[in-house]
């Protein structure tokens, strides 16, 4: 098993998703994926999480090679809280990026937090609004890569813009 294959989560991912992940890392370069993980850990320090104390940072690479960052922002009434991945992608979505690259602009997104969880369902759906599939990098709070997976693995058989005749 190659060192890249060891990063794939879950280990029993389909061959097509393993190929998607490995070729994605090779296309972007491991250095860029590592930088993405470090960015996520750095922006995590700017999270506003006075209620949960659960700090999350995210960093996205768009298909033009630009980095976008975000962190969670809690609101005392809780339901208005913005999640790190969601904030990152939505911030990019209103930047004019769609004029340059179209609606499918997410190439890879890293998320950094305590523990080894993956993006929540809300964030998976939000990421899926802006790509057909992408790399999802899970990083620790030091910015080290825990593992790499794909949106299709995290959100199989997704409801997508195509179901509403878009995209
Ligand atoms: Zn979320």
């Amino acid at each position: 098993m190659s060192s890249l294959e060891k990063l794939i989560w879950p280990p029993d991912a389909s061959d097509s998703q393993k190929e998607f992940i490995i070729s994605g890392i090779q296309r972007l370069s491991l250095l860029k994926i590592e930088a993405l993980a470090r960015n996520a850990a750095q922006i995590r320090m700017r999270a506003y999480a006075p209620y949960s104390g659960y700090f999350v940072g995210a960093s996205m690479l768009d298909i033009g090679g630009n980095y976008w960052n975000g962190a969670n922002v809690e609101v005392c009434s809780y339901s208005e809280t913005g999640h790190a991945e969601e904030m990152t992608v939505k911030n990019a979505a209103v930047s004019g990026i769609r004029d340059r690259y179209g609606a499918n602009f997410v190439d890879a997104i890293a998320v950094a937090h305590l523990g080894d969880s993956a993006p929540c369902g809300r964030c998976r759906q939000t990421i899926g609004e802006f790509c057909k599939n992408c790399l999802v990098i899970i990083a620790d709070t030091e910015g080290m890569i825990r593992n790499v997976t794909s949106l299709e693995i995290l959100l199989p058989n997704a409801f997508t813009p195509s179901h509403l005749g878009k995209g």
Side-chain angles (χ1 to χ4, degrees), residues 117-156:
S117 66
C120 77
R122 169 173 156 174
C123 288
R124 296 176 192 196
Q125 187 72 41
T126 303
I127 296 166
E129 183 71 21
F130 300 106
C131 68
K132 305 262 188 234
N133 195 8
C134 70
L135 297 179
V136 179
I137 297 100
I138 311 299
D140 67 16
T141 58
E142 302 299 316
M144 299 299 290
I145 297 171
R146 285 181 185 277
N147 55 59
V148 182
T149 187
S150 71
L151 184 65
E152 192 166 315
I153 288 171
L154 296 176
L155 192 64

Side-chain angles (χ1 to χ4, degrees), residues 13 16 20 26 51 54 58 64 67 86 98 103 111 113 115 119 128 133 140-141 159:
S16 66
F20 176 82
Q26 289 172 336
Y51 308 110
Y54 189 68
Y67 292 94
E86 168 199 23
R98 289 172 296 122
V111 59
H113 47 60
N133 195 8
D140 67 16
T141 58
F159 182 74

Side-chain angles (χ1 to χ4, degrees), residues 9-121:
W9 184 91
D12 63 349
S14 69
D15 287 345
S16 66
Q17 286 307 301
K18 282 182 178 173
E19 171 60 24
F20 176 82
I21 292 166
I22 288 179
S23 66
I25 294 171
Q26 289 172 336
R27 176 176 51 81
L28 293 168
S29 84
L30 187 56
L31 283 178
K32 271 192 181 171
I33 298 297
E34 288 172 339
L36 204 60
R38 283 195 304 274
N39 286 352
Q42 284 174 0
I43 194 72
R44 174 179 173 272
M45 303 308 292
R46 296 193 201 155
Y48 177 75
Y51 308 110
S52 71
Y54 189 68
F55 294 77
V56 185
S59 186
M60 181 196 88
L61 195 59
D62 71 29
I63 59 173
N66 308 295
Y67 292 94
W68 301 83
N69 298 319
N72 56 325
V73 177
E74 292 183 348
V75 176
C76 64
S77 50
Y78 287 10
S79 58
E80 290 77 15
T81 292
H83 299 190
E85 308 92 308
E86 168 199 23
M87 300 283 279
T88 301
V89 172
K90 287 182 175 175
N91 180 33
V94 297
S95 71
I97 194 172
R98 289 172 296 122
D99 295 334
R100 276 173 289 171
Y101 306 128
N104 295 311
F105 58 78
V106 180
D107 204 345
I109 187 163
V111 59
H113 47 60
L114 285 173
D116 62 356
S117 66
C120 77

